[in-house]
């Protein structure tokens, strides 16, 4: 998909289309007042105050129709420049425009408006010459949006649209959008019964259903095994801590707005934990360490709670209750490079196992001017950032840098991916931290018998099981490799009267080998059951009839193939177990 915001021609076209939208809305709802209508990567939107009116599904076609009418009428789009005084006078009844104008400095910028027929809007431009050129557009969706993004303000109506130069581009885009909707993990999650949400449990709190739980368990086993081999020691710690714990760590000062509010129990004040680092610092501190023990690698599949804005929560991808594949690595300063390198290699290794290719490394740095957000120690930041760059260059890793994306305790390397719908998100992360070990007064004894402070690497390979699963669902479009698939084999007897007994026999054989198998003994047509097995994206569908029963064989179809293969039952079991072990498709 082309980035409309960055394509000069499309940017102008979409911006002009936003004005066309506003004009049509004004015709239909004369009370309308307009806030801003920017161009975004995938089109444009306009934030509109419609008084009590709330936009509904059926309104979009009406607005679109009016837009078409205005466009056909073909008025020119004319620019006027104004002084600030004139602008304030012209828009004196519009609190939104007054807010914008009052913040403008006429010595620094020209104040301009654009008029098309009966509609004038304050705007920097540029625009196309006439509304006639706006032909190939579509209104896509709408939502509520607080004025200036602040929940204390009035909720405005935001309408999204997109405009192209020709119909072919528009149709291609709409088709891609449809494909992305089909791939959306929220849709597949529902269709395949992977997870659910319920308002009684709460927003951003998904419930993993049996099918989803199988996938999660496989992920847990997979990464646990890898981490064991790499010398990680796993722990279990509570998903609450006292407020004091988070005051000690600095989260209370730097991360409070992302946390659930505190709760009092007897004389203690608790918070649901947003991160596990403080608990792991205390686990480290539980005993004395010599430089010979380092690196100490403490891992946990740890549940965290974070306050995410209600408009931002999304399926499994952005939740308020999540489970991190977390670990904190305690190292000597000399070990930072090596240990960081091992983490990056583990990330690469895991992505390879899952066949993931669409990701980018982002080196997330602090914004040096933001002394509030980031802990203030220039030397520490400079050293840490330099160290990460050095390792990335050594490993020849392609990455981009992002100022202001660091954690409050240090710079980090993040893996960024693009979901089917919505903005990019981070999966894996590895974060360098010189601060928390100091706050918790952690030590190790060096080779001169002196106490030293270790450095900590925070790392999560999957990020959270929640977000990783969301991404995996979208990448595989719900057709999981056999080792992850909730149901690996679906058995269909050709005719229940003659073949059910044999099918049950095969079911037992597979089930005994821990192969996840289902037997479809419903009184439905064979063709119907086979089609359904495909729709459910089950990797292997077995069809058992006379021939198979007679020869102690099975016939199978793989997902996505129309070919039928016949094998001796033992050979089939060998084959599928091999694929599961080797994580092959
Ligand atoms: C890696 N203290 C570190 C940890 O030791 C930490 O918490 N880092 S984090 O804040 O970046 O979170 C780790 C990962 O959790 C992120 O990389 C991201 O993949 C995932 N994550 C963060 N917020 C959410 C959320 N709201 N929903 C789902 N996953 C999330
Ligand atoms: Zn951490």
């Amino acid at each position: 998909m082309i980035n409309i915001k960055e394509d000069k021609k499309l940017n102008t076209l979409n911006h002009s289309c936003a004005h066309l939208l506003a004009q049509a809305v004004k015709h239909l709802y004369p009370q309308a007042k307009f806030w801003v209508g920017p161009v975004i990567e995938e089109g444009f939107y306009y934030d509109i105050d419609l008084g009590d009116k709330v936009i509904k599904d059926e309104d979009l076609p009406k607005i679109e129709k009016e837009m078409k009418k205005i466009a056909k009428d073909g008025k020119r789009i004319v620019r006027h420049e104004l002084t600030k005084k004139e602008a304030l006078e012209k828009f004196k009844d519009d609190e939104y425009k007054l807010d914008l104008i009052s913040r403008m400095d006429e010595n620094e910028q020209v104040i301009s408006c654009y008029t098309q027929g009966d509609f004038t809007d304050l705007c920097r431009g540029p625009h196309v010459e006439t509304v006639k050129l706006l032909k190939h557009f579509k209104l896509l969706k709408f939502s509520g949006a607080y004025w200036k993004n602040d929940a204390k303000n009035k909720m405005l109506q935001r309408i999204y649209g997109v405009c192209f130069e020709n119909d072919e581009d528009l149709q291609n885009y709409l088709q891609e959008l449809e494909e992305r909707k089909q791939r959306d993990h929220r849709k597949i999650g529902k269709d395949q019964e992977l997870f659910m949400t319920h308002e009684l449990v709460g927003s951003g709190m998904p419930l993993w259903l049996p099918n989803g739980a199988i996938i999660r368990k496989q992920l847990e086993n997979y990464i646990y095994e890898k981490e064991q081999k790499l010398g990680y020691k796993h722990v279990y710690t509570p998903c609450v801590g006292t407020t004091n714990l988070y005051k000690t760590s600095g989260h209370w000062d730097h991360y409070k707005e992302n946390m659930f509010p505190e709760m009092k129990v007897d004389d203690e004040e608790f918070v649901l934990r947003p991160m596990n680092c403080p608990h792991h610092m205390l686990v480290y501190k539980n005993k004395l360490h010599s430089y010979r023990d380092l690196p100490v690698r403490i891992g946990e599949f740890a549940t965290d709670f974070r306050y995410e804005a209600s408009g931002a929560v999304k399926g499994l991808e952005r939740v308020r209750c999540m489970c991190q594949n977390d670990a904190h690595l305690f190292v000597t300063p000399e070990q930072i490079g090596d240990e960081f390198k091992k983490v990056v290699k583990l990330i690469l290794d895991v992505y390879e196992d899952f066949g993931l290719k669409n990701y980018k490394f982002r080196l997330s740095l602090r914004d040096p001017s933001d002394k509030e957000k980031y802990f203030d120690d220039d030397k520490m930041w400079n050293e840490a950032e330099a160290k990460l760059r050095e390792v990335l260059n050594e490993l020849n890793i392609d990455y981009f840098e992002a100022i202001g994306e660091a954690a409050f305790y240090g710079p980090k390397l993040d893996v960024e991916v693009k979901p089917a719908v919505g903005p990019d998100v981070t999966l894996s992360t590895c974060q360098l931290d010189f601060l928390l070990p100091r706050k918790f007064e952690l030590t190790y004894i060096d080779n001169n018998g002196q106490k030293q402070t270790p450095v900590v690497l925070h790392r999560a390979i999957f990020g959270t099981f929640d977000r990783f699963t969301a991404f995996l669902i979208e990448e595989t479009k719900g057709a999981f490799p056999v080792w992850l698939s909730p149901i690996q084999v679906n058995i269909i007897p050709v005719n229940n009267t003659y073949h059910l007994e044999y099918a049950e026999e095969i079911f037992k054989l597979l089930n005994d080998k821990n192969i996840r198998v289902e037997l479809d003994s419903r009184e439905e047509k064979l063709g119907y059951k086979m089609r359904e097995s495909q729709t459910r994206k089950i990797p292997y569908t077995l069809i058992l009839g006379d021939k198979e029963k007679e020869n102690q064989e099975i016939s199978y179809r793989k997902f996505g193939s129309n070919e039928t293969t016949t094998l001796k039952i033992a050979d089939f079991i060998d084959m599928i177990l091999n694929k599961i072990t080797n994580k092959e498709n």
Side-chain angles (χ1 to χ4, degrees):
M1 166 71 196
I2 184 163
N3 185 333
I4 290 179
K5 197 172 168 182
E6 276 167 16
D7 181 296
K8 213 168 155 201
K9 223 167 164 185
L10 282 177
N11 188 317
T12 307
L13 201 64
N14 276 267
H15 194 93
S16 303
C17 202
H19 279 230
L20 181 65
L21 162 67
Q23 185 175 13
V25 167
K26 188 80 188 165
H27 285 180
L28 297 174
Y29 313 101
Q31 77 277 23
K33 286 183 182 163
F34 301 92
W35 175 232
V36 288
V39 176
I40 53 176
E41 217 174 288
E42 296 198 22
F44 63 86
Y45 67 78
Y46 220 123
D47 279 353
I48 310 166
D49 181 349
L50 287 174
D52 297 335
K53 162 84 190 156
V54 175
I55 292 287
K56 299 215 174 57
D57 280 330
E58 62 265 25
D59 297 322
L60 291 194
K62 286 184 210 154
I63 301 171
E64 229 173 57
K65 198 168 156 205
E66 183 63 21
M67 287 167 77
K68 293 239 147 81
K69 203 170 120 200
I70 303 168
K72 207 164 160 206
D73 198 25
K75 292 278 187 301
R76 286 181 57 76
I77 304 177
V78 188
R79 176 186 166 97
H80 315 270
E81 291 182 2
L82 303 93
T83 62
K84 186 164 179 174
K85 196 163 159 236
E86 286 165 344
L88 287 169
E89 175 58 27
K90 187 172 176 66
F91 291 100
K92 67 176 185 298
D93 298 325
D94 186 333
E95 65 266 35
Y96 295 103
K97 297 297 168 202
L98 288 181
D99 185 279
L100 290 173
I101 299 163
S102 62
R103 280 184 284 126
M104 290 177 175
D105 182 346
E106 58 189 335
N107 299 320
E108 278 176 19
Q109 68 193 104
V110 180
I111 301 178
S112 56
C113 315
Y114 283 80
T115 300
Q116 51 200 56
D118 58 6
F119 182 76
T120 298
D121 204 352
L122 182 74
C123 181
R124 225 178 304 152
H127 282 286
V128 293
E129 270 170 33
T130 144
V131 290
K132 238 188 212 155
L133 296 169
L134 305 169
K135 280 190 192 141
H136 311 288
F137 58 81
K138 177 97 192 139
L139 296 183
L140 299 169
K141 56 179 180 176
F142 55 88
S143 68
Y146 291 112
W147 185 43
K148 295 186 180 174
N149 225 347
D150 185 339
K152 289 196 282 299
N153 287 339
K154 183 165 185 186
M155 174 85 89
L156 305 178
Q157 305 293 305
R158 176 173 295 180
I159 302 178
Y160 291 86
V162 70
C163 185
F164 287 93
E165 287 177 279
N166 57 58
D167 194 52
E168 194 187 340
D169 287 355
L170 175 63
Q171 295 312 327
N172 284 343
Y173 172 72
L174 294 178
Q175 197 183 336
E176 187 195 315
L177 211 57
E178 189 47 41
E179 279 163 15
R180 274 155 50 184
K181 272 192 201 149
Q182 294 301 324
R183 204 154 66 77
D184 189 324
H185 78 278
R186 290 167 293 186
K187 179 179 187 312
I188 297 175
K190 193 163 178 226
D191 292 350
Q192 297 196 6
E193 296 185 11
L194 302 176
F195 67 95
M196 61 173 274
T197 49
H198 198 288
E199 60 190 30
L200 287 178
V201 181
S203 143
M205 307 277 182
L207 286 77
W208 292 66
L209 297 170
N211 288 341
I214 287 173
I215 296 174
R216 174 150 162 189
K217 192 81 189 161
Q218 298 310 312
L219 295 179
E220 286 175 4
N221 293 346
Y222 165 84
I223 200 74
Y224 182 76
E225 217 176 272
K226 289 242 174 222
E227 291 180 353
Q228 288 305 300
K229 284 192 187 138
L230 293 168
Y232 288 61
K233 310 282 179 210
H234 272 234
V235 296
Y236 294 98
T237 62
C239 61
V240 293
T242 65
T243 338
N244 282 335
L245 178 65
Y246 288 94
K247 282 184 182 156
T248 306
S249 67
H251 285 86
W252 199 250
D253 283 342
H254 295 278
Y255 204 72
K256 197 164 166 221
E257 70 278 15
N258 300 90
M259 292 165 67
F260 275 66
E262 52 205 312
M263 47 192 159
K264 215 167 151 44
V265 180
D266 294 337
D267 294 335
E268 291 179 303
E269 295 208 334
F270 289 99
V271 283
L272 293 171
R273 70 174 171 194
M275 289 194 192
N276 320 301
C277 345
H279 293 73
H280 290 184
M281 301 289 142
L282 296 177
V283 170
Y284 176 88
K285 211 179 171 178
N286 187 46
K287 65 178 203 180
L288 286 176
H289 296 276
S290 131
Y291 70 96
R292 281 192 224 94
D293 313 333
L294 269 45
V296 167
R297 306 177 182 93
I298 298 171
E300 184 173 357
F301 299 154
T303 300
D304 294 321
F305 295 84
R306 290 187 188 174
Y307 171 73
E308 296 278 0
S310 61
V313 295
K314 178 179 171 200
L316 289 180
E317 183 185 302
R318 187 171 294 280
V319 292
R320 286 176 169 172
C321 170
M322 65 199 80
C323 183
Q324 283 198 40
N325 152 228
D326 202 4
H328 293 92
L329 319 175
F330 300 80
V331 302
T332 67
E334 299 74 42
Q335 291 170 332
I336 295 173
D338 253 11
E339 199 60 18
F340 180 58
K341 206 187 270 178
K342 281 186 192 158
V343 173
V344 178
K345 283 188 171 163
L346 177 57
I347 293 176
L348 293 171
D349 183 27
V350 168
Y351 282 47
E352 166 111 36
D353 278 348
F354 284 88
L356 303 178
K357 294 200 175 68
N358 303 319
Y359 61 90
K360 281 193 189 135
F361 281 106
R362 175 181 76 178
L363 183 58
S364 302
L365 308 170
R366 75 173 163 157
D367 172 358
S369 66
D370 191 344
K371 301 276 181 205
E372 287 269 302
K373 184 167 167 198
Y374 302 107
F375 125 87
D376 192 10
D377 180 339
D378 285 343
K379 183 164 173 285
M380 165 318 281
W381 280 96
N382 293 338
E383 274 177 25
E385 292 178 1
K387 194 94 213 170
L388 296 191
R389 266 195 208 103
E390 190 187 305
V391 172
L392 290 173
N393 292 335
E394 236 174 78
L395 284 175
N396 241 337
I397 288 202
D398 225 2
Y399 65 92
F400 67 98
E401 299 194 354
I403 308 283
E405 292 290 340
F408 73 84
Y409 42 71
K412 53 183 182 146
L413 180 71
D414 294 317
V415 177
E416 296 293 295
V417 297
K418 203 175 256 322
V421 178
D424 292 3
V425 290
T426 304
L427 287 184
S428 314
T429 184
C430 183
Q431 315 170 351
L432 205 47
D433 179 1
F434 295 85
L435 177 68
L436 258 54
R438 279 193 237 162
K439 297 229 175 209
F440 282 90
E441 299 175 339
L442 304 185
T443 57
Y444 66 93
I445 307 297
D446 72 8
N447 55 0
N448 296 318
Q450 300 296 311
K451 273 189 181 171
Q452 302 292 350
T453 309
V455 178
V456 166
L457 295 170
H458 305 239
R459 48 104 286 180
I461 304 300
F462 286 146
T464 50
F465 290 99
D466 315 82
R467 185 171 286 179
F468 192 81
T469 304
F471 186 64
L472 207 55
I473 294 171
E474 297 189 348
E475 282 292 292
T476 58
K477 302 190 178 110
F480 300 101
V482 61
W483 72 279
L484 279 175
S485 204
I487 298 140
Q488 295 167 318
V489 177
N490 186 23
I491 303 178
I492 308 179
V494 173
N495 182 320
N496 274 349
T497 314
Y498 305 112
H499 312 120
L500 185 57
E501 208 177 306
Y502 180 56
E504 281 168 346
E505 220 177 279
I506 302 292
F507 175 92
K508 188 166 181 321
L509 280 176
L510 298 180
N511 193 52
D512 284 349
K513 296 278 182 201
N514 276 333
I515 296 167
R516 297 187 288 274
V517 56
E518 264 187 19
L519 170 57
D520 187 351
S521 56
R522 291 173 304 165
E523 292 296 342
E524 296 283 357
K525 290 225 167 65
L526 177 65
Y528 172 82
K529 289 195 201 178
M530 283 171 61
R531 272 195 304 281
E532 199 193 68
S533 201
Q534 288 284 316
T535 321
R536 290 174 66 201
K537 304 187 177 169
I538 299 175
Y540 290 91
T541 302
L542 304 196
I543 304 118
L544 305 181
D546 285 339
K547 204 170 79 355
E548 286 80 11
K549 184 176 163 185
E550 209 175 290
N551 301 332
Q552 289 289 298
E553 288 174 342
I554 57 94
S555 293
Y556 73 84
R557 270 198 195 178
K558 260 192 96 171
F559 170 72
S561 157
N562 282 330
E563 256 173 58
T564 309
T565 310
T566 304
L567 284 180
K568 287 283 175 214
I569 177 70
D571 293 339
F572 175 71
I573 291 181
D574 276 354
M575 180 196 79
I576 193 167
L577 288 178
N578 247 320
K579 288 196 186 267
I580 292 169
T581 313
N582 298 327
K583 307 195 164 44
E584 278 170 24
N585 230 337

